[in-house]
Amino acid sequence: TSWFPTLTRDSTDWQFTSRDATVNIFEDPANQVSAGRVVRQLGSFMEIFSRGGDVCITEWDVESGEIETFVFRFDNALKAYQLVSIENVSGDTVELERSPTGELNRLRQTVEQRTVVVKHTRDGRIASLSLDGGEAGTPLIFYEYDSAGRLVAAINRRRLAHRYEYD
């Protein structure tokens, strides 16, 4: 499972799965999004639209007042929409850089000009996160997995660990 929002398209609808795994369907049988129009889902405080070839989902959190836009780009090689950035109304953006296979390699905060480098295990799990530049290469956090591939520890740079056990 992914903790990133995802976007898929079938013949008539867009399906957006949010960070909390809520699935939202945007009915679009007339391809309004591709034609440059906005499709709204008023009950969930969301809308979908295209911008410069990308497909964007804007989500309003009525309790916190936060507004975020998730920007997806179609990857022809993977035949899937990939999340490429998350924006807020102030212009703060986190850009996601991926490998040709879709694996997340970097997260870049555009305002702070900070980049987090994502290292992976041989089987594609996240092994560590570190800052690019300065103390580059020194992990901010690294992860350990058991033989079944389950997360068993998240260890910070001071070697303090959060450990996980499974039944």
Side-chain angles (χ1 to χ4, degrees), residues 55-140:
V55 177
C56 306
I57 304 277
T58 297
E59 182 176 28
W60 289 263
D61 185 323
V62 293
E63 292 179 16
S64 70
E66 290 183 26
I67 303 170
E68 288 184 308
T69 299
F70 302 92
V71 181
F72 294 88
R73 185 168 296 140
F74 191 76
D75 185 312
N76 286 315
L78 298 174
K79 303 288 187 230
Y81 285 92
Q82 295 287 314
L83 181 65
V84 295
S85 68
I86 303 170
E87 308 166 352
N88 68 20
V89 293
S90 300
D92 302 331
T93 302
V94 175
E95 296 173 339
L96 291 79
E97 178 185 306
R98 298 177 182 279
S99 73
T101 60
E103 196 171 70
L104 182 63
N105 286 339
R106 296 175 180 274
L107 299 157
R108 183 173 168 270
Q109 294 175 296
T110 58
V111 173
E112 297 88 349
Q113 295 296 305
R114 250 187 323 228
T115 301
V116 173
V117 178
V118 182
K119 299 284 184 188
H120 297 271
T121 63
R122 275 180 256 128
D123 53 355
R125 291 178 179 79
I126 295 177
S128 67
L129 304 174
S130 59
L131 287 176
D132 192 15
E135 295 182 50
T138 304
L140 299 170

Side-chain angles (χ1 to χ4, degrees), residues 6-18 21-29 33 39-48 57:
T6 60
L7 181 67
T8 57
R9 172 82 167 141
D10 65 19
S11 60
T12 60
D13 302 326
W14 295 92
Q15 179 176 307
F16 173 67
T17 304
S18 62
T22 302
V23 176
N24 301 278
I25 304 295
F26 292 87
E27 295 178 3
D28 187 18
V33 172
V39 175
R40 291 186 174 84
Q41 194 182 73
L42 299 176
S44 63
F45 303 97
M46 296 178 159
E47 66 183 22
I48 184 170
I57 304 277

